Amino acid sequence: MALQQAASQRRSWLKPNTWHLRTRLILLAMTLLIAICGAVGVVSYASMDAFLTRQLDDQLSQAAERSNDPGRPPMGGFKGRDPLDARGQSVGTLNARILNGQVNSAGFLASDTTRSPLSAEDKQALLALATDAQPVDRTLSNGDYRLTAAKTDFGDVLVTGLPLAGKESTLTSLVWTFVFVSLGGLLLIGLAGTVLIRRTMKPLEQLSEVATRVSQLPLDAGEVALAVRVPPSNSNPGTEVGSVGHALNLMLDNVANALQARQKSETKVRQFVADASHELRTPLTAIRGYTELMRMTENFTPDGEKSLARVQSQSERMTALVEDLLLLARLDEGQPLKLSGVDLTQLVIEGVSDEKVMAPGHNWRLELPEEPVVVNGDASQLRQVLMNLLSNARKHTPAGTTVVTGVCTSSEGAAVVTVTDDGGGIPAEFVDHVFSRFARADAARKGASGQSGAAVAEGTSGLGLSIVESIVEAHGGRVTVTSQPGRTQFALQLPLHSLS
């Protein structure tokens, strides 16, 4: 895993578009500085080289004038005054006289004022020089030299040279000085730029933090207090970052107003459902009462008896639907629960026993621990949760289905109740909506015969599982479902009973 993360980080560094903005700004600034330093270095080096070359050429011209014998050589011999004997010549100066292709009076002026002879290669290099031309650079046995050759009035050629070591040393010192100064400057500018860019980018990070906090708020339901805002220091529309912060605050204000409007609308709907459900209970009770009275006091034909039974069954179904809506409305309002210690094991035994009577064609099994599992909860509501899950398995599976109800405790310290059947399963596209209100998928749980068992006779309102989820969440728990052909399981997790 660590190797994969390291490889992923390396790949991300190879993609500049995935870098942080501050990283790209720092690298861009450093790149520009390096380019500027390089350009300044090249220009400085070229300028210094040209200056030192001109200076050396002036020195070379002066040395050549000092070396030139102002008179003709004495009669009876070629040699006049030795050029190296001229006053003012610096150490390392090269002089030579060339006549008829021969090099005479040639040598280097050593530090002890003695003469160092030229090698054969040096003499060949001197013979190859052009007369009265611009000075040139040559590599001799004593190092690199700047040479010039001038023809005298007496027909010989006087060669004068000065070493390039001083010039090269100066240029080398210049290069190293510029490199070290540039590196130091780049380091300081890089550090200072990093600090400044981070400080400049801090408002953007604060905007990101605000957006992150908003994304973590539970905005899907209930009353939401959207109090998160960008601080005034980062929401000044006069700056680029401030304009983004100002726009984000305007968006959050709009979202907050929309959430408040949604909450008011939901509250009105819940209140309407609660009021309507409460008002419907009385007429529905009257219908059921009068139906019972008519069956006991009046004589009906078989068709009339059948119609009256239909009226009674539908009024009972309507009464159950109204009771479910009223319960959901109360749960949405967040009414307090009547908490006490509830033994889930006993609830499961009672619930499964009732279902065995109602659906003897199913195989009902229990998986219970040896010790009771007690939770903090409302006994009547938890009983309804269990009855809804068991009746859901009974209604949506055919006879012969095995339904296993189990109770245990999880490693996280929670009580777990599972209801598992080996029916046809729930379609994958409906699993995510199974706890929605009025969600119905009777066809998904039909038996092999194409009928949905008791579901055809009893019908479903689509509120049972939404009631289960609402009650469990009101108890601080959660309910999940997993389904595949041949196995569907609903699992409840509730906090265990606390003595405190």
Side-chain angles (χ1 to χ4, degrees):
M1 187 67 179
L3 293 177
Q4 293 179 352
Q5 292 178 349
S8 177
Q9 291 178 352
R10 286 195 298 270
R11 287 194 296 268
S12 64
W13 272 105
L14 298 177
K15 299 179 180 178
N17 56 344
T18 63
W19 296 350
H20 289 292
L21 178 58
R22 60 173 176 265
T23 302
R24 283 186 280 178
L25 289 176
I26 292 171
L27 290 178
L28 178 60
M30 295 298 292
T31 302
L32 291 176
L33 286 173
I34 291 173
I36 292 172
C37 289
V40 171
V42 171
V43 173
S44 299
Y45 184 91
S47 300
M48 181 60 72
D49 181 70
F51 171 76
L52 293 177
T53 299
R54 288 195 303 270
Q55 186 181 59
L56 188 61
D57 287 346
D58 291 341
Q59 296 173 357
L60 184 61
S61 176
Q62 295 172 7
E65 291 179 359
R66 288 194 296 269
S67 300
N68 189 14
D69 189 356
R72 175 183 291 276
M75 296 299 294
F78 168 77
K79 282 190 177 181
R81 191 184 62 176
D82 190 341
L84 291 177
D85 292 337
R87 292 182 178 182
Q89 299 292 63
S90 60
V91 175
T93 301
L94 177 149
N95 276 124
R97 288 183 180 275
I98 302 175
L99 184 62
N100 299 326
Q102 294 182 358
V103 179
N104 300 280
S105 300
F108 301 100
L109 184 62
S111 59
D112 56 357
T113 67
T114 61
R115 182 196 306 270
S116 297
L118 300 181
S119 65
E121 291 78 7
D122 295 341
K123 293 179 179 181
Q124 292 297 324
L126 297 183
L127 291 172
L129 293 175
T131 304
D132 296 329
Q134 293 294 326
V136 294
D137 297 337
R138 293 290 185 269
T139 300
L140 305 177
S141 60
N142 210 30
D144 294 334
Y145 269 75
R146 183 79 169 171
L147 303 175
T148 181
K151 192 172 184 180
T152 67
D153 296 335
F154 306 104
D156 59 343
V157 176
L158 179 64
V159 178
T160 306
L162 291 177
L164 293 173
K167 171 188 170 183
E168 293 174 350
S169 176
T170 302
L171 292 176
T172 302
S173 298
L174 174 66
V175 170
W176 284 111
T177 301
F178 192 83
V179 167
F180 287 125
V181 171
S182 297
L183 290 178
L186 288 174
L187 179 61
L188 291 177
I189 293 175
L191 294 176
T194 300
V195 174
L196 292 176
I197 290 176
R198 284 183 177 275
R199 182 174 298 178
T200 304
M201 299 295 291
K202 190 66 176 178
L204 286 179
E205 295 179 357
Q206 293 178 347
L207 296 183
S208 176
E209 291 175 359
V210 170
T212 301
R213 290 204 301 271
V214 172
S215 68
Q216 295 172 348
L217 293 176
L219 305 178
D220 54 340
E223 186 174 358
V224 179
L226 191 58
V228 182
R229 293 293 185 277
V230 179
S233 59
N234 297 326
S235 57
N236 180 11
T239 64
E240 289 78 3
V241 176
S243 63
V244 176
H246 181 67
L248 182 58
N249 281 343
L250 292 178
M251 183 189 70
L252 292 177
D253 291 339
N254 189 27
V255 172
N257 293 334
L259 291 175
Q260 291 176 0
R262 185 209 66 186
Q263 178 62 23
K264 290 180 181 178
S265 176
E266 291 182 354
T267 302
K268 290 180 180 179
V269 171
R270 292 194 189 103
Q271 189 62 42
F272 170 77
V273 171
D275 294 343
S277 300
H278 182 74
E279 293 297 328
L280 286 173
R281 297 171 74 182
T282 300
L284 286 173
T285 302
I287 292 173
R288 292 173 60 188
Y290 279 110
T291 302
E292 289 287 344
L293 180 62
M294 292 179 65
R295 295 184 67 176
M296 291 187 294
T297 59
E298 303 293 336
N299 294 323
F300 293 96
T301 63
D303 290 339
E305 191 73 32
K306 183 177 179 181
S307 298
L308 193 62
R310 183 65 175 170
V311 171
Q312 184 175 9
S313 65
Q314 291 300 316
S315 64
E316 291 175 351
R317 181 171 180 270
M318 187 65 180
T319 300
L321 177 60
V322 169
E323 293 293 340
D324 288 345
L325 289 173
L326 186 58
L327 176 59
L328 284 172
R330 290 172 178 172
L331 291 172
D332 290 339
E333 291 176 357
Q335 293 187 1
L337 303 174
K338 299 178 181 179
L339 298 179
S340 62
V342 181
D343 185 358
L344 291 180
T345 306
Q346 186 62 32
L347 281 184
V348 168
I349 292 175
E350 294 174 358
V352 172
S353 298
D354 293 341
E355 292 298 328
K356 284 183 178 180
V357 176
M358 299 181 65
H362 286 66
N363 299 320
W364 302 93
R365 291 172 48 193
L366 292 172
E367 293 182 354
L368 304 177
E370 296 182 359
E371 298 294 332
V373 178
V374 182
V375 299
N376 288 320
D378 188 314
S380 61
Q381 290 191 6
L382 292 180
R383 181 177 286 105
Q384 183 168 1
V385 167
L386 185 60
M387 297 307 299
N388 283 2
L389 291 177
L390 293 175
S391 63
N392 183 72
R394 167 173 54 83
K395 293 177 182 179
H396 296 288
T397 57
T401 301
T402 299
V403 181
V404 181
T405 307
V407 180
C408 64
T409 57
S410 66
S411 58
E412 292 83 8
V416 179
V417 179
T418 58
V419 177
T420 310
D421 67 71
D422 58 359
I426 304 174
E429 65 274 10
F430 186 72
V431 171
D432 294 337
H433 310 285
V434 72
F435 295 108
S436 301
R437 298 181 182 184
F438 298 104
R440 307 174 70 176
D442 295 342
R445 307 268 279 168
K446 288 181 181 179
S449 63
Q451 299 295 321
S452 60
V456 175
E458 297 184 44
T460 58
S461 64
L463 293 176
L465 293 179
S466 61
I467 291 176
V468 168
E469 184 181 46
S470 297
I471 293 177
V472 171
E473 290 181 351
H475 283 76
R478 63 190 182 95
V479 56
T480 58
V481 59
T482 56
S483 181
Q484 60 186 14
R487 188 179 189 277
T488 299
Q489 182 181 80
F490 288 87
L492 309 178
Q493 288 192 10
L494 296 168
L496 287 171
H497 178 64
S498 175
L499 297 178
S500 59

